[in-house]
Amino acid sequence: MNRIKQHIVFSFLAACMALVALQSCTKLDVVPVSTLTPANFPKTPAQFVAATGPIYTTFRGTPGRNLWLTLNLSTDENVLVARGGNWLDGGTYSTLNLHTYTPDNTIFEDDWTWGFSTISTCNQVLSLFSSVAESAAKDQTVAEIKTMRAMAYFYMMDLFGNVPISKSFGDTTNLGTQTRAQVFAFVESELLAQIPNLSSTVDVSTYGRPTKYLAYTILAKMYLNAAYYIGTPRYQDAVTMCDNVIKDNKYALDADYLGMFRPNNGPQIKDFIFAIPYDGNLAQGQYYARWTLHPALKTKYSLPYAPDGPMYTFPTYYALFNDANDVRKKQYLTGKQYYNDGTPIMITTTNKGLDDNYSGSDPGGVVKHQLEFTPDIIWRNKATFDIGNDELANEEGYRNNKFYPDSTSTSRNQGNDVPMFRYADILLMKAEAILRGATATNGDSPLTLVNQVRSRAKAASLGSVALSDILDERGREFAVEWWRRNDLIRFGQFEKAWGIKTDADPNHRIFPIPNPEIQLNPKLKQNPGY
């Protein structure tokens, strides 16, 4: 672990010991147990930061696991296949890809609990601050907490559309479903109100915490999607928010694209506007490589565990990487695989173990086979989402290796920090907003903005750019970074067919409110179509 990241991780751990982290559900009224009171804590700027620790601990959890799966598997990018019955898990993952999900899918319960646990924890810490003396440190910390709460509401609005809004801890009067337009207005007003008190400092001291630029970026994302979220285009407002980030020159496109996602990433990455800090041993919860890597890659990456590798990339998505010089193409493992010294990675199995369709005279005969990822994904049983469980089936589908495996971890947890918002997104959002009708500003054009991103990736500059080019470029730039679902919906492509998906119900653009939450809170109203 590098020294800068170590400092951040230890700061978060200290913060977590300062307060007891809370668990909550939609009720939003869980009573905390703590010996800390406004009379003795917080007083100093460091104590104010420490008091917010449980917020970041709660926020860190699900994005490293189920939320990441939810947002990646519900698109044309990735699929988590069943293999001989393994990984079907009652349709938890297959229904995401097929858009046949129901309110009983447990992955949505985890996503919902994550969002409202973060919101409840924010409200609890705000209640602690209510009787604390006014100070600049208090003003900034309150603004950071409210921005974290607004960001959690942004994700809940994007995922579930219509959700309750609670502004105070223990509030049991506002548990009914609010419309997406009402949630949009709340998040917008909250972020705009916090900006004056948020920091404009971008360095190790604010890494992993909200700044003015995070608020601008969330607003830009909301305004770009406003035509879908609330039925009113806000493209010029999106450009304004992007310009608020660009003009202060606090961010840039790091030269090493792939290096941004390595386990030693951190505040030195200029592209990261907001990232969740992880450490494989001290701040756990992120294990993306577990889902994408083949077990035979354990030795190559010096891993303490054998990855499971059921998450494959659709060949149609990989086809977006159509420039041989584009460094972003290297995030994928394709074809024959080798150790770092060039030695082929060999797998010892049997004729039948290699290919279950083997019909020769020696099914148990031992064979040695070089690991080779092939592009096509072939379902042997569509009803059970099964591709088979022989070795050839286990090597179907190219594998994304963007969040490079962490060999320093003692478990499957990784130390790669996860960017939620990046500067490259600011450039591409501004380009898209102008193409959708906003007035260009500051000499920028959609073409120059897109080519900035392509230049960093060593991809050839485009001669012209259309909206379809923006969607494709976003697919290349933000692979496995959460935004594909959001993008497909905005571009009207979430209902298209991919893999063996045929569902085209626009109600499935937002997910169902989990049934356990409705049972706990009868004031919730289920989303249409469920």
Side-chain angles (χ1 to χ4, degrees):
M1 180 167 49
N2 66 50
R3 188 169 297 176
I4 294 177
K5 180 173 285 191
Q6 187 179 55
H7 166 77
I8 293 168
V9 169
F10 286 151
S11 295
F12 274 108
L13 288 174
C16 293
M17 290 186 288
L19 287 178
V20 176
L22 307 177
Q23 297 294 322
S24 65
C25 63
T26 310
K27 294 175 67 176
L28 304 174
D29 59 356
V30 178
V31 178
V33 179
S34 176
T35 58
L36 302 173
T37 70
N40 58 30
F41 183 89
K43 291 183 177 181
T44 68
Q47 287 175 341
F48 274 103
V49 173
T52 64
I55 296 170
Y56 299 100
T57 301
T58 301
F59 191 79
R60 188 182 72 223
T62 298
R65 299 185 299 274
N66 280 347
L67 184 60
W68 184 72
L69 291 173
T70 300
L71 293 173
N72 283 312
L73 298 179
S74 58
T75 75
D76 64 348
E77 180 177 355
N78 301 295
V79 59
L80 200 157
V81 297
R83 298 192 304 217
N86 299 316
W87 292 108
L88 183 60
D89 288 1
T92 298
Y93 310 112
S94 61
T95 58
L96 282 174
N97 198 252
L98 296 171
H99 291 189
T100 56
Y101 28 76
T102 72
D104 292 315
N105 191 321
T106 56
I107 204 166
F108 298 136
E109 172 67 7
D110 192 54
D111 296 338
W112 180 281
T113 300
W114 164 74
F116 282 102
S117 292
T118 299
I119 291 163
S120 182
T121 307
C122 288
N123 286 339
Q124 191 273 321
V125 178
L126 287 172
S127 71
L128 172 68
F129 287 178
S130 61
S131 56
V132 173
E134 298 301 318
S135 67
K138 176 182 175 180
D139 290 343
Q140 179 177 325
T141 308
V142 166
E144 291 174 358
I145 295 169
K146 290 186 175 181
T147 300
M148 289 297 297
R149 184 177 67 181
M151 179 162 56
Y153 268 117
F154 164 75
Y155 282 110
M156 292 296 97
M157 175 188 70
D158 185 70
L159 291 166
F160 299 104
N162 313 294
V163 298
I165 299 175
S166 177
K167 303 177 185 178
S168 60
F169 186 71
D171 176 14
T172 60
T173 62
N174 294 305
L175 299 184
T177 302
Q178 303 293 304
T179 67
R180 177 176 264 183
Q182 289 172 312
V183 182
F184 183 104
F186 170 68
V187 175
E188 178 186 25
S189 63
E190 277 286 277
L191 291 173
L192 290 172
Q194 305 322 311
I195 288 171
N197 288 323
L198 289 170
S199 177
S200 58
T201 299
V202 177
D203 60 18
V204 66
S205 69
T206 58
Y207 185 73
R209 291 164 48 202
T211 63
K212 294 180 188 291
Y213 307 105
L214 173 61
Y216 292 141
T217 304
I218 298 172
L219 287 166
K221 187 69 71 174
M222 290 174 59
Y223 294 146
L224 186 66
N225 287 280
Y228 163 63
Y229 285 153
I230 61 174
T232 302
R234 300 283 297 273
Y235 300 122
Q236 199 64 53
D237 291 331
V239 169
T240 297
M241 291 302 154
C242 290
D243 283 343
N244 287 341
V245 177
I246 295 169
K247 68 182 181 181
D248 283 3
N249 295 312
K250 297 295 180 71
Y251 301 94
L253 298 175
D254 297 82
D256 184 2
Y257 177 85
L258 296 176
M260 294 194 300
F261 306 97
R262 296 249 172 184
N264 64 348
N265 62 359
Q268 74 274 18
I269 305 299
K270 301 299 292 182
D271 200 341
F272 290 2
I273 294 174
F274 183 81
I276 302 176
Y278 286 98
D279 178 83
N281 300 309
L282 299 174
Q284 298 181 334
Q286 193 271 87
Y287 37 84
Y288 296 169
R290 175 249 176 128
W291 302 99
T292 61
L293 297 187
H294 188 284
L297 294 170
K298 173 183 177 180
T299 300
K300 176 176 180 177
Y301 294 115
S302 302
L303 297 177
Y305 67 99
D308 298 297
M311 184 169 160
Y312 302 173
T313 301
F314 279 118
T316 48
Y317 187 84
Y318 179 75
L320 292 174
F321 298 84
N322 52 12
D323 186 325
N325 295 318
D326 191 334
V327 299
R328 296 171 299 191
K329 194 172 187 176
K330 296 179 181 179
Q331 68 188 282
Y332 288 96
L333 301 178
T334 66
K336 294 184 182 296
Q337 298 299 300
Y338 300 85
Y339 291 106
N340 293 327
D341 64 359
T343 304
I345 298 177
M346 303 301 294
I347 295 171
T348 301
T349 183
T350 64
N351 286 316
K352 192 71 172 176
L354 177 66
D355 183 356
D356 193 50
N357 292 319
Y358 176 83
S359 58
S361 61
D362 190 15
V366 175
V367 296
K368 289 189 175 182
H369 164 78
Q370 183 175 359
L371 178 63
E372 179 179 9
F373 295 122
T374 56
D376 294 328
I377 302 166
I378 303 169
W379 275 266
R380 300 185 188 179
N381 187 332
K382 293 182 180 180
T384 58
F385 219 60
D386 191 11
I387 67 165
N389 202 30
D390 56 35
E391 183 55 38
L392 293 181
N394 290 352
E395 296 176 14
E396 291 178 9
Y398 293 157
R399 310 303 170 88
N400 187 284
N401 197 31
K402 174 182 272 185
F403 289 89
Y404 198 84
D406 186 356
S407 62
T408 67
S409 174
T410 58
S411 67
R412 66 189 183 189
N413 289 278
Q414 297 175 231
N416 322 57
D417 295 351
V418 174
M420 308 285 276
F421 298 95
R422 293 204 279 119
Y423 183 66
D425 204 354
I426 290 291
L427 300 180
L428 292 179
M429 284 196 291
K430 181 176 181 180
E432 182 181 337
I434 295 170
L435 280 175
R436 291 188 183 274
T439 301
T441 60
N442 303 326
D444 291 329
S445 71
L447 184 61
T448 60
L449 291 163
V450 170
N451 279 336
Q452 284 185 57
V453 175
R454 290 181 62 82
S455 177
R456 187 263 295 275
K458 306 296 188 296
S461 295
L462 299 178
S464 61
V465 61
L467 278 173
S468 59
D469 298 311
I470 297 287
L471 179 61
D472 289 349
E473 197 62 38
R474 292 187 62 83
R476 288 183 281 265
E477 181 67 21
F478 302 112
V480 300
E481 288 186 66
W482 307 45
W483 292 118
R484 186 64 174 176
R485 170 183 164 272
N486 183 277
D487 293 342
L488 290 177
I489 292 171
R490 190 173 64 257
F491 279 83
Q493 296 194 31
F494 198 60
E495 286 72 57
K496 71 178 183 179
W498 57 68
I500 58 173
K501 168 190 175 290
T502 59
D503 180 88
D505 187 345
N507 286 317
H508 296 160
R509 294 174 184 174
I510 57 176
F511 298 125
I513 295 175
N515 273 337
E517 295 301 328
I518 293 178
Q519 293 166 2
L520 286 170
N521 177 13
K523 293 182 180 180
L524 292 175
K525 183 179 179 180
Q526 185 56 270
N527 287 322
Y530 299 105

